[in-house]
Amino acid sequence: MKNGIYIVATPIGNLQDISFRAIEVLKNVDIIACEDTRVTKKLFGLLGLPSNKEFIRCDDNTENKHSDQLISLIRSGKSVALVSDAGSPLISDPGYKIIRRCRQENIDIYTIPGPCAVICALQLSGLPTNSFMFAGFIPNKEKARKDLFLKLAEIDTTLVFYETANRILKTLKAATDIFNNREIAVAREITKMYEECICGGIDDVIQHFSLREPKGEFVLMISPPSKEDKKININVEEMLRTKLSEGSLKTAVKELSDRYGLNKKELYNMALKLKDE
C-alpha cells in the first residue's frame, strides 16, 4: 500500500454503507488516526477488521500535537487512515489541521469517499440542491445564534446546519423571527432505524418535535429566500444594527434599501436613532 494519509469516510448509522474501498484501506494501512480510539476499535470489531494496529487519537485537542508524529511516520514509509467517529472526516469533524499540515509538507493525500450527513439530508429534504451552504454547528448562545441567522438570512441558497437533540426546539424558535415564511426540513437519525425528515413551515416542524421528544443527530435545512421573503422576513432594526456595526450609516442604508426595496428616508431615520443609542 502506498504510504501517505487516507481520508476515510465511515458509516453514520448503517454499517452496510461502508464501501469496499474503505474496508480495503482500513484493513491494510499501518496506522489509524481517529477521533476516539474506543469508537473506532468498536467499529473495527463490528466490521470484522483486524485490531492489531496502532490507533492514535486525533481529536480537536490533539490534532496539532500528533501532526508531527504522523508526518514523521508517513515519511518513514508508513500509511495512515484518518477517520472520525462517523461520516466524512473534516466536515464539522476533526482532521483539517492534520490535512493542512500534510499538504504543506507535500505528503500524499488520498480521499476515500462515503457517507456524509450534509449530503444525505439534502437528498431527503426536497429543498433546492443546485446551490447550498453548509454552516456547521449552530452556536449555543442566544446572541451568537441570532447573529449567525441574521448574517446568513439574505444569502440566496439553501442553508444547512448541524444541531443537537437538546437544542433543536430552541433553535427552531429562534429561527422563527428570521426565517418564518420559508420552507424548512429537519432530518435526524439518517440511515438508522428511526430515520425521518420533517418538512414544512417552521411552526409545523416545531409542533412535530414538541409532541415527540427530539432524539438523535439533527440536520436543519432552510430554503432560499423568495423575493417576497426578502421584503417580509427581515427584522429591519436587527439588520440595521448589524450593518452599522460593520460600516458607515450611509452604506448600511444603501445596502438594505437596494437589497430589500425599503424606503431610504425611513431607513435613514431609523439608523440615526440607533446611532444615538
Side-chain angles (χ1 to χ4, degrees), residues 17-222:
D17 291 334
I18 190 79
S19 72
F20 291 122
R21 189 173 172 217
I23 289 284
E24 196 64 20
V25 169
L26 294 175
K27 186 187 297 182
N28 291 296
V29 292
D30 302 303
I31 296 156
I32 308 295
C34 51
E35 187 175 358
D36 188 325
T37 57
R38 296 164 299 180
V39 172
T40 302
K41 285 178 180 179
K42 182 179 178 181
L43 176 67
F44 267 56
L46 292 170
L47 294 173
L49 292 169
S51 58
N52 58 337
K53 296 178 181 293
E54 183 177 0
F55 289 78
I56 298 176
R57 183 170 189 138
C58 291
D59 56 19
D60 286 329
N61 298 317
T62 58
E63 272 191 85
N64 284 331
K65 176 182 175 183
H66 290 132
S67 292
D68 288 338
Q69 179 188 4
L70 291 171
I71 288 169
S72 177
L73 287 166
I74 292 168
R75 290 207 184 284
S76 72
K78 301 292 186 181
S79 55
V80 175
L82 173 67
V83 300
S84 59
D85 286 350
S88 297
L90 284 76
I91 310 302
S92 277
D93 272 335
Y96 162 75
K97 296 172 187 174
I98 289 173
I99 295 303
R100 184 161 181 81
R101 278 293 312 281
C102 287
R103 183 62 65 192
Q104 292 167 345
E105 298 289 334
N106 294 315
I107 296 293
D108 288 333
I109 303 168
Y110 309 93
T111 180
I112 315 299
C116 178
V118 176
I119 302 303
C120 295
L122 279 166
Q123 291 170 330
L124 290 171
S125 71
L127 298 182
T129 56
N130 59 312
S131 172
F132 66 90
M133 176 182 174
F134 175 55
F137 280 97
I138 296 170
N140 184 26
K141 294 186 178 179
E142 186 176 346
K143 185 180 184 306
R145 181 170 52 233
K146 179 179 274 190
D147 288 345
L148 176 65
F149 285 167
L150 285 170
K151 179 182 177 182
L152 301 180
E154 53 191 285
I155 298 176
D156 191 16
T157 191
T158 298
L159 302 174
V160 187
F161 307 90
Y162 283 162
E163 188 51 289
T164 60
N166 63 320
R167 296 207 308 251
I168 187 65
L169 277 172
K170 185 186 295 185
T171 291
L172 289 171
K173 289 171 183 175
T176 302
D177 293 336
I178 300 163
F179 303 110
N180 192 39
N181 292 311
R182 298 202 206 175
E183 183 181 359
I184 74 162
V186 175
R188 73 176 192 94
E189 293 295 83
I190 298 171
T191 78
K192 301 177 185 177
M193 182 181 295
Y194 297 107
E195 173 185 284
E196 66 176 348
C197 186
I198 309 302
C199 309
I202 295 181
D203 289 342
D204 299 326
V205 180
I206 288 174
Q207 183 179 19
H208 175 85
F209 287 112
S210 295
L211 297 173
R212 302 162 183 80
E213 182 185 358
K215 293 181 179 180
E217 304 293 329
F218 284 76
V219 183
L220 167 63
M221 294 154 284
I222 300 171

Side-chain angles (χ1 to χ4, degrees), residues 217-269:
E217 304 293 329
F218 284 76
V219 183
L220 167 63
M221 294 154 284
I222 300 171
S223 65
S226 66
K227 289 182 179 179
E228 286 305 308
D229 287 334
K230 288 179 180 179
K231 291 180 182 179
I232 296 170
N233 279 351
I234 64 165
N235 182 320
V236 179
E237 185 175 316
E238 286 287 352
M239 197 68 79
L240 255 182
R241 288 183 190 277
T242 301
K243 291 293 183 184
L244 287 170
S245 69
E246 296 171 351
S248 69
L249 185 149
K250 184 178 179 180
T251 300
V253 169
K254 185 178 186 308
E255 286 185 3
L256 290 182
S257 175
D258 290 347
R259 183 174 291 275
Y260 299 107
L262 300 171
N263 185 286
K264 277 189 177 180
K265 186 175 180 180
E266 291 177 0
L267 277 176
Y268 186 81
N269 289 334

